[in-house]
Amino acid sequence: MKRLHVHVAVDDLAASIKFYSALFAAEPTVAKDDYAKWMLDDPRVNFAISARGAAPGLNHLGVQVENADELAEMNARLQKLDGEVVEEMGTACCYAKSDKYWATDPTGIAWETYRTLDSIPVFGGQEASGCCVPEPAVAKASGCIPVKAKPAAGGCC
């Protein structure tokens, strides 16, 4: 079963945790000094916020799957699109180790399709970046929301 994923960059994590906990009638399932996540069943969504220096607002959207077959199905869908698909296997991001595929929609919003493999004690790789959205054929706009442009040097995480 798939789950919608929404990641929002915030500038006041404590105030945002208070707001979203009231909105969802639930405390975060993961809470760190710079990150919080709610795994909700009604609506079925993985909602994450982070305070890591990115411009406040939508960071990226995604579809979380439960197994390798569902991830392969999502990759097949993305491969049919007219755009680049970025593969990241065993990547570290948002306190989790995951296999993922990234694509950018026509308006420049980054979408990840991913399967979480394990939780990890750090936000991401060795860089202390504001997000984990790759940018191989896109340039950064505010935060880490990619837009179609010339390739930029380096990735987000």
Side-chain angles (χ1 to χ4, degrees):
M1 182 179 288
K2 296 171 184 68
R3 181 183 303 262
L4 181 66
H5 170 63
V6 177
H7 188 126
V8 175
V10 300
D11 54 7
D12 186 334
L13 190 70
S16 296
I17 288 173
K18 182 178 178 181
F19 174 86
Y20 290 114
S21 293
L23 179 68
F24 300 141
E27 293 300 312
T29 53
V30 175
K32 305 289 185 180
D33 290 341
D34 58 353
Y35 176 84
K37 175 173 70 175
W38 291 258
M39 292 292 284
L40 304 169
D41 288 323
D42 185 16
R44 189 163 168 77
V45 64
N46 168 342
F47 185 85
I49 60 175
S50 60
R52 300 186 54 81
L58 179 64
N59 186 276
H60 64 275
L61 298 170
V63 177
Q64 181 179 9
V65 300
E66 294 183 7
N67 59 54
D69 290 340
E70 288 180 335
L71 186 60
E73 174 192 344
M74 293 302 296
N75 181 39
R77 291 182 193 179
L78 295 176
Q79 295 299 331
K80 293 177 183 177
L81 298 174
D82 187 25
E84 181 177 9
V85 176
V86 177
E87 177 183 304
E88 293 183 333
M89 296 295 126
T91 191
C93 186
C94 299
Y95 297 97
K97 181 178 177 182
S98 303
D99 289 342
K100 5 179 132 185
Y101 296 97
W102 289 91
T104 304
D105 82 2
T107 61
I109 296 173
W111 278 85
E112 67 176 324
T113 59
Y114 68 102
R115 175 179 170 227
T116 300
L117 305 171
D118 201 0
S119 62
I120 58 173
V122 295
F123 183 84
Q126 296 183 352
E127 295 179 33
S129 180
C131 67
C132 295
V133 179
E135 45 180 341
V138 295
K140 277 196 306 187
S142 62
C144 254
I145 300 169
V147 293
K148 293 182 181 182
K150 293 181 182 177
C156 197
C157 276

